């Protein structure tokens, strides 16, 4: 025999009750014996509670009566044959009349006792269960309505009564034996005391009723049917990636439910646990789903280090501190006995090893009462300054990771605290039992969604890690980056377990933010329909959204975004940038940004600052981190200048080569922006700083390629005129190179902490001699690469390779 409990939206409408009937018909036709436990129809318990308080305050409650009556009448008329409707409607009307009399009495007395409230709430279960039994009787003639208040006996603690297990099991067994030919439809949630006054079983009371009947009758299984697919890894309303668990041990289920998982409540498991009866969590609206099985111990091997993550969304912390607590025998006993006597539930406790402080979490509604009770109880200790006035922390929540595998897996705590810290989530208190089934942390309520998503991504490693990305700049690099992300999205999910979700896009005209992600196929049209661009507002919205694994990408060359870098890091958001300005401004600013990123545990990636997509910054970092010592860096880091000197051969003039480079798009609109060497200098400064030097711009020896007249020319046309006048200077260099069989190269050097950029003639043995096209090249001479330098060569400019470098930085966020 099995116990089947239906609750929530499972008994919310005629359509949902029809789903129940389909489930029961399948069981009935197979000859299975079962007992059905039902809760009130969806929303009715809340409505009854509101009506009870309204009556005590002399407010209208009759509209609620009409709503409840219509709700039940509607189902009866739709699912009962006409000939069977009248007696059922009459009984429901009688219940409504009794309920109205009760509420009228509360209204007259202007008082609502817990006893009266229990009696009022009981009508929710009475009406729904009676109605379900009569509808079922049309298909199963043995169906009979059972008022559980006549069988489940409790103490007088109205609102959350304690069950007399021995007497209750005797009554249930006896009743079942004398009615074994019937199919029971039992009211959930309600019971009675020794004086036969109605009591209720508290939160999850209908589940508890099912477990009580299951334990008393030693059922084969207890099935709890709701509107979700069993127990999920975490709250699916907050974490979209949450998935159903196939099984849980009693201990795991207890821990998850105690810390907020609402599919089942701890009391419901105790009778089943005691009799070793499996509990199966099923979905009324997806009956083919196999559900979550809760039993003595896990059979299947869990591939993950934890089983689930639960949360309590609103709690407050009370901190009791003082030197007088140290070595004081019985202090904790006094404190917690006091709270227990006053029915204040303590959710979590943590105490410092020095015994100087005790911190505990309670519900926010109990804060003032707890503080007043402690102040009165420990008045003498407060007056003599042995303890301090209790301090309160509010707007907090608890998240708890749970699983039997935790005790066999080292590093779980470290992993949890690392990922929380990296995402800027401060932990206010920690609790971990010696059994290692649970680690609970208290954090700010505003960080709950971020914490759950981040921790879920971290511990369920077969899931993709989602990077929430805000992008500034939609020019060639930005547009190409979006295309690359779109093209690689499936590959990243399948091979790297990474999902890149572009949440915000902004350029100088428009900005668009969509938390669920922007379609990268239609991003241009969507952005055009967005709001007017405001960089400060765009960045502020990114901070307020407080998303997990958040990354800001700066695809501009403007100094304006760099002003916000520090505050972005301070909001625990990583930055990926191809903008060189921040790293090549003052060394002080560079150091502040690097230190802030490090202290906040976020990433600052800027590979494209030096060689577009070439792995130059990463190589330098790896060399230094591995203990190698940089002796010399030589580099050609201007694709424009590289192209010009590679093509300055034969009869062609320097003027013609520069003109051709501009026509091909290799130079800026004003070629002097490239030929001045300023951009090259910034790249060399960044390399020097990453190599450990405090290099400033004025310390760099920059040899000008151009004459002063070229540099000072008023326009681009004037520049070209001056360039033609300087042709003899460049021709002389070319002829000398040809005579000596050397190549003209504009080379940046870092040696002994000094940076220089000069025009040189290099011989054939030099690694830069055979450079072609617009390629960049860099040579690292180190202690390990002293006689054969490490050389990196390849395209150092262009939207495709630069976007690829930004993309590579992006997917490495959080991996180091």
């Amino acid at each position: 025999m099995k116990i089947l409990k239906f609750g929530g939206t499972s008994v919310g409408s005629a359509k949902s009750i029809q789903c129940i009937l389909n489930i029961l018909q399948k069981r009935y036709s197979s000859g299975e014996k079962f007992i059905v436990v039902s809760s009130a129809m969806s929303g009715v318990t809340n409505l009854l509670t509101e009506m009870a308080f309204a009556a005590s305050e002399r407010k209208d409650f009759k509209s609620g009566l009409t709503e409840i009556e219509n709700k039940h009448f509607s189902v009866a008329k739709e699912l009962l044959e006409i000939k069977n409707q009248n007696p059922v409607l009459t009984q429901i009307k009688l219940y409504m009349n009794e309920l109205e009399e009760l509420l009228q009495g509360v209204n007259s007395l202007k008082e609502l006792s817990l006893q009266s409230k229990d009696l009022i709430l009981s009508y929710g279960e009475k009406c729904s269960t009676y109605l379900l039994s009569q509808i079922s009787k049309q298909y199963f003639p043995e169906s009979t309505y059972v008022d559980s208040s006549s069988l489940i006996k409790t103490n007088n603690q109205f609102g959350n009564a304690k069950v007399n297990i021995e007497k209750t099991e005797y009554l249930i067994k006896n009743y079942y034996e004398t009615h074994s030919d019937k199919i029971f439809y039992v009211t959930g949630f309600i019971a009675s005391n020794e004086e036969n006054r109605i009591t209720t079983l508290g939160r999850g009371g209908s589940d508890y009723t099912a477990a009580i009947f299951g334990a008393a009758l030693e059922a084969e299984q207890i099935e709890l049917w709701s509107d979700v697919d069993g127990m999920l890894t975490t709250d699916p309303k907050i974490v979209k990636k949450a998935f159903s668990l196939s099984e849980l041990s009693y201990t795991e289920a207890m821990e998850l439910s105690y810390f907020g998982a609402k599919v089942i409540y701890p009391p419901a498991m105790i009778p089943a646990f005691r009799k070793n009866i499996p509990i199966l969590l099923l979905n009324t609206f997806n009956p083919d789903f196999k559900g979550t099985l809760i039993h003595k111990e896990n059979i299947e091997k869990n591939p993950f280090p934890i089983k689930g993550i639960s949360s309590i969304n609103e709690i407050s912390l009370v901190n009791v501190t003082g030197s007088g607590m140290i070595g004081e025998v019985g202090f904790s006993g006094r404190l917690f006995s006091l709270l227990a006597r006053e029915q204040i539930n303590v959710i979590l406790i943590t105490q410092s090893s020095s015994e100087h402080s005790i911190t505990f979490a309670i519900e926010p509604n109990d804060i003032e009462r707890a503080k007043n009770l402690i102040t009165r109880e420990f008045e003498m200790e407060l007056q003599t300054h042995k303890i301090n006035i209790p301090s309160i922390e509010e707007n907090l929540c608890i998240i708890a990771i749970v699983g039997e595998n935790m005790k066999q897996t080292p590093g779980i705590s470290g992993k949890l605290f690392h990922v929380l810290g990296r995402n800027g989530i401060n932990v206010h208190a920690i609790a971990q039992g010696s059994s290692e089934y649970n680690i609970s942390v208290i954090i700010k309520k505003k960080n709950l969604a971020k914490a759950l998503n981040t921790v879920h991504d971290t511990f369920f490693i077969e899931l993709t890690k989602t990077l929430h990305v805000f992008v500034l700049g939609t020019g060639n690099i930005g547009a190409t980056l979006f295309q690359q992300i779109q093209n690689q999205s499936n590959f990243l999910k399948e091979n790297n377990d990474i999902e890149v979700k572009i949440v915000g896009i902004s350029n100088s005209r428009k900005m668009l933010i969509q938390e669920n992600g922007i379609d990268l196929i239609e991003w241009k049209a969507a952005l055009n329909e967005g709001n007017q661009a405001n960089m400060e507002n765009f960045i502020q919205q990114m901070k307020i959204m407080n998303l997990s694994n958040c990354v800001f990408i700066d695809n501009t060359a403007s100094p304006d975004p760099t002003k916000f870098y520090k505050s972005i890091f301070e909001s625990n958001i990583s930055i990926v940038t191809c903008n060189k300005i921040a790293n090549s401004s003052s060394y002080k600013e560079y150091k502040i940004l690097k230190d802030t990123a490090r202290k906040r545990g976020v990433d600052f990636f800027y590979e494209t600052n030096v060689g577009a997509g070439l792995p130059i910054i990463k190589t330098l970092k790896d060399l230094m981190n591995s203990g190698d010592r940089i002796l010399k860096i030589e580099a050609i880091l201007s694709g424009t200048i590289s192209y010009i000197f590679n093509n300055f051969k034969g009869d062609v003039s320097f003027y013609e080569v520069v003109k051709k480079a501009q026509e091909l798009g290799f130079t800026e609109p004003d070629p002097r922006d490239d030929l001045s060497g300023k951009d090259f200098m910034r790249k060399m400064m960044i390399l020097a700083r990453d190599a450990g030097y405090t290099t400033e711009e004025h310390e760099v020896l920059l040899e000008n390629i151009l004459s002063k007249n070229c540099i000072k020319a008023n326009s681009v046309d004037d520049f070209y005129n001056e360039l033609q006048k300087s042709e003899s200077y460049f021709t002389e260099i070319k002829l000398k190179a040809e005579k000596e069989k050397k190549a003209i190269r504009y080379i940046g050097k870092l040696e002994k902490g000094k940076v220089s950029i000069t025009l040189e003639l290099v011989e054939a043995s030099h690694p830069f001699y055979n450079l072609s096209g617009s390629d960049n090249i860099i040579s690292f001479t180190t202690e390990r690469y002293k006689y054969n330098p490490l050389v990196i060569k390849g395209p150092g400019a262009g939207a495709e390779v630069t976007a690829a470098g930004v993309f590579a930085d992006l997917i490495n966020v959080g991996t180091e």
Side-chain angles (χ1 to χ4, degrees), residues 779-795:
S779 166
F780 293 99
T781 303
T782 72
E783 286 289 354
R784 294 177 191 152
Y785 295 93
K786 185 180 292 186
Y787 304 108
N788 192 10
L790 174 62
V791 176
I792 299 170
K793 175 184 173 184

mmCIF file of all heavy atoms in Angstrom, residues 779-795:
data_model
loop_
_atom_site.group_PDB
_atom_site.id
_atom_site.type_symbol
_atom_site.label_atom_id
_atom_site.label_comp_id
_atom_site.label_asym_id
_atom_site.label_seq_id
_atom_site.Cartn_x
_atom_site.Cartn_y
_atom_site.Cartn_z
ATOM 1 N N SER A 779 60.971 39.503 -29.360
ATOM 2 C CA SER A 779 62.005 38.551 -28.961
ATOM 3 C C SER A 779 62.279 38.719 -27.465
ATOM 4 O O SER A 779 62.577 39.825 -27.007
ATOM 5 C CB SER A 779 63.278 38.808 -29.769
ATOM 6 O OG SER A 779 64.378 38.133 -29.213
ATOM 7 N N PHE A 780 62.162 37.604 -26.719
ATOM 8 C CA PHE A 780 62.451 37.613 -25.280
ATOM 9 C C PHE A 780 63.794 36.919 -25.037
ATOM 10 O O PHE A 780 63.944 35.720 -25.316
ATOM 11 C CB PHE A 780 61.370 36.866 -24.500
ATOM 12 C CG PHE A 780 60.020 37.506 -24.504
ATOM 13 C CD1 PHE A 780 59.037 37.067 -25.378
ATOM 14 C CD2 PHE A 780 59.726 38.555 -23.639
ATOM 15 C CE1 PHE A 780 57.777 37.645 -25.383
ATOM 16 C CE2 PHE A 780 58.470 39.146 -23.629
ATOM 17 C CZ PHE A 780 57.492 38.699 -24.514
ATOM 18 N N THR A 781 64.744 37.683 -24.525
ATOM 19 C CA THR A 781 66.012 37.085 -24.096
ATOM 20 C C THR A 781 65.974 37.005 -22.575
ATOM 21 O O THR A 781 65.846 38.020 -21.884
ATOM 22 C CB THR A 781 67.205 37.938 -24.532
ATOM 23 O OG1 THR A 781 67.161 38.107 -25.948
ATOM 24 C CG2 THR A 781 68.516 37.284 -24.139
ATOM 25 N N THR A 782 66.064 35.790 -22.065
ATOM 26 C CA THR A 782 65.931 35.563 -20.623
ATOM 27 C C THR A 782 67.045 34.635 -20.157
ATOM 28 O O THR A 782 67.857 34.155 -20.960
ATOM 29 C CB THR A 782 64.564 34.918 -20.294
ATOM 30 O OG1 THR A 782 64.570 33.554 -20.732
ATOM 31 C CG2 THR A 782 63.418 35.655 -20.975
ATOM 32 N N GLU A 783 67.088 34.364 -18.883
ATOM 33 C CA GLU A 783 68.084 33.413 -18.360
ATOM 34 C C GLU A 783 67.916 32.054 -19.025
ATOM 35 O O GLU A 783 68.904 31.371 -19.300
ATOM 36 C CB GLU A 783 67.917 33.281 -16.834
ATOM 37 C CG GLU A 783 68.412 34.476 -16.049
ATOM 38 C CD GLU A 783 69.927 34.589 -16.039
ATOM 39 O OE1 GLU A 783 70.602 33.672 -16.548
ATOM 40 O OE2 GLU A 783 70.446 35.621 -15.557
ATOM 41 N N ARG A 784 66.692 31.646 -19.271
ATOM 42 C CA ARG A 784 66.446 30.339 -19.896
ATOM 43 C C ARG A 784 66.585 30.400 -21.415
ATOM 44 O O ARG A 784 66.882 29.397 -22.053
ATOM 45 C CB ARG A 784 65.047 29.845 -19.520
ATOM 46 C CG ARG A 784 64.901 29.536 -18.036
ATOM 47 C CD ARG A 784 63.475 29.115 -17.704
ATOM 48 N NE ARG A 784 63.274 29.066 -16.253
ATOM 49 C CZ ARG A 784 62.115 29.263 -15.661
ATOM 50 N NH1 ARG A 784 61.042 29.520 -16.386
ATOM 51 N NH2 ARG A 784 62.003 29.196 -14.349
ATOM 52 N N TYR A 785 66.263 31.564 -22.000
ATOM 53 C CA TYR A 785 66.348 31.738 -23.452
ATOM 54 C C TYR A 785 67.472 32.730 -23.775
ATOM 55 O O TYR A 785 67.290 33.668 -24.541
ATOM 56 C CB TYR A 785 65.012 32.242 -23.999
ATOM 57 C CG TYR A 785 63.866 31.276 -23.844
ATOM 58 C CD1 TYR A 785 63.022 31.331 -22.728
ATOM 59 C CD2 TYR A 785 63.608 30.314 -24.821
ATOM 60 C CE1 TYR A 785 61.963 30.445 -22.589
ATOM 61 C CE2 TYR A 785 62.549 29.423 -24.685
ATOM 62 C CZ TYR A 785 61.725 29.492 -23.552
ATOM 63 O OH TYR A 785 60.686 28.616 -23.431
ATOM 64 N N LYS A 786 68.643 32.488 -23.201
ATOM 65 C CA LYS A 786 69.746 33.444 -23.318
ATOM 66 C C LYS A 786 70.418 33.365 -24.689
ATOM 67 O O LYS A 786 70.763 34.395 -25.295
ATOM 68 C CB LYS A 786 70.770 33.183 -22.214
ATOM 69 C CG LYS A 786 71.896 34.214 -22.189
ATOM 70 C CD LYS A 786 72.880 33.908 -21.072
ATOM 71 C CE LYS A 786 72.297 34.094 -19.692
ATOM 72 N NZ LYS A 786 73.320 33.918 -18.615
ATOM 73 N N TYR A 787 70.635 32.170 -25.191
ATOM 74 C CA TYR A 787 71.386 31.999 -26.435
ATOM 75 C C TYR A 787 70.479 31.798 -27.650
ATOM 76 O O TYR A 787 70.932 31.931 -28.789
ATOM 77 C CB TYR A 787 72.348 30.819 -26.297
ATOM 78 C CG TYR A 787 73.277 30.995 -25.117
ATOM 79 C CD1 TYR A 787 73.128 30.226 -23.969
ATOM 80 C CD2 TYR A 787 74.277 31.969 -25.152
ATOM 81 C CE1 TYR A 787 73.966 30.408 -22.880
ATOM 82 C CE2 TYR A 787 75.121 32.168 -24.054
ATOM 83 C CZ TYR A 787 74.947 31.380 -22.923
ATOM 84 O OH TYR A 787 75.767 31.579 -21.841
ATOM 85 N N ASN A 788 69.266 31.485 -27.405
ATOM 86 C CA ASN A 788 68.294 31.310 -28.494
ATOM 87 C C ASN A 788 66.975 31.945 -28.039
ATOM 88 O O ASN A 788 66.118 31.281 -27.463
ATOM 89 C CB ASN A 788 68.105 29.822 -28.788
ATOM 90 C CG ASN A 788 67.337 29.603 -30.077
ATOM 91 O OD1 ASN A 788 67.099 30.538 -30.838
ATOM 92 N ND2 ASN A 788 66.939 28.363 -30.323
ATOM 93 N N PRO A 789 66.829 33.260 -28.262
ATOM 94 C CA PRO A 789 65.674 33.985 -27.711
ATOM 95 C C PRO A 789 64.322 33.398 -28.137
ATOM 96 O O PRO A 789 64.203 32.797 -29.215
ATOM 97 C CB PRO A 789 65.850 35.396 -28.268
ATOM 98 C CG PRO A 789 67.301 35.512 -28.556
ATOM 99 C CD PRO A 789 67.728 34.146 -28.996
ATOM 100 N N LEU A 790 63.344 33.584 -27.275
ATOM 101 C CA LEU A 790 61.969 33.159 -27.554
ATOM 102 C C LEU A 790 61.321 34.219 -28.439
ATOM 103 O O LEU A 790 61.248 35.399 -28.073
ATOM 104 C CB LEU A 790 61.188 33.019 -26.244
ATOM 105 C CG LEU A 790 59.689 32.724 -26.334
ATOM 106 C CD1 LEU A 790 59.428 31.394 -27.021
ATOM 107 C CD2 LEU A 790 59.066 32.716 -24.944
ATOM 108 N N VAL A 791 60.864 33.811 -29.624
ATOM 109 C CA VAL A 791 60.328 34.766 -30.601
ATOM 110 C C VAL A 791 58.853 34.477 -30.871
ATOM 111 O O VAL A 791 58.458 33.318 -31.066
ATOM 112 C CB VAL A 791 61.122 34.705 -31.922
ATOM 113 C CG1 VAL A 791 60.504 35.637 -32.971
ATOM 114 C CG2 VAL A 791 62.582 35.077 -31.682
ATOM 115 N N ILE A 792 58.067 35.545 -30.877
ATOM 116 C CA ILE A 792 56.648 35.454 -31.239
ATOM 117 C C ILE A 792 56.428 36.374 -32.425
ATOM 118 O O ILE A 792 56.816 37.542 -32.405
ATOM 119 C CB ILE A 792 55.739 35.880 -30.069
ATOM 120 C CG1 ILE A 792 55.959 34.965 -28.860
ATOM 121 C CG2 ILE A 792 54.270 35.862 -30.482
ATOM 122 C CD1 ILE A 792 55.287 35.454 -27.599
ATOM 123 N N LYS A 793 55.799 35.843 -33.459
ATOM 124 C CA LYS A 793 55.639 36.613 -34.691
ATOM 125 C C LYS A 793 54.259 36.356 -35.277
ATOM 126 O O LYS A 793 53.736 35.242 -35.210
ATOM 127 C CB LYS A 793 56.722 36.190 -35.689
ATOM 128 C CG LYS A 793 56.613 36.818 -37.070
ATOM 129 C CD LYS A 793 57.683 36.226 -37.974
ATOM 130 C CE LYS A 793 57.492 36.691 -39.413
ATOM 131 N NZ LYS A 793 58.454 36.064 -40.340
ATOM 132 N N GLY A 794 53.659 37.394 -35.847
ATOM 133 C CA GLY A 794 52.367 37.226 -36.486
ATOM 134 C C GLY A 794 51.665 38.555 -36.692
ATOM 135 O O GLY A 794 52.210 39.618 -36.387
ATOM 136 N N PRO A 795 50.443 38.522 -37.207
ATOM 137 C CA PRO A 795 49.694 39.764 -37.450
ATOM 138 C C PRO A 795 49.499 40.537 -36.149
ATOM 139 O O PRO A 795 49.066 39.972 -35.145
ATOM 140 C CB PRO A 795 48.348 39.281 -38.008
ATOM 141 C CG PRO A 795 48.607 37.903 -38.495
ATOM 142 C CD PRO A 795 49.669 37.336 -37.603
#
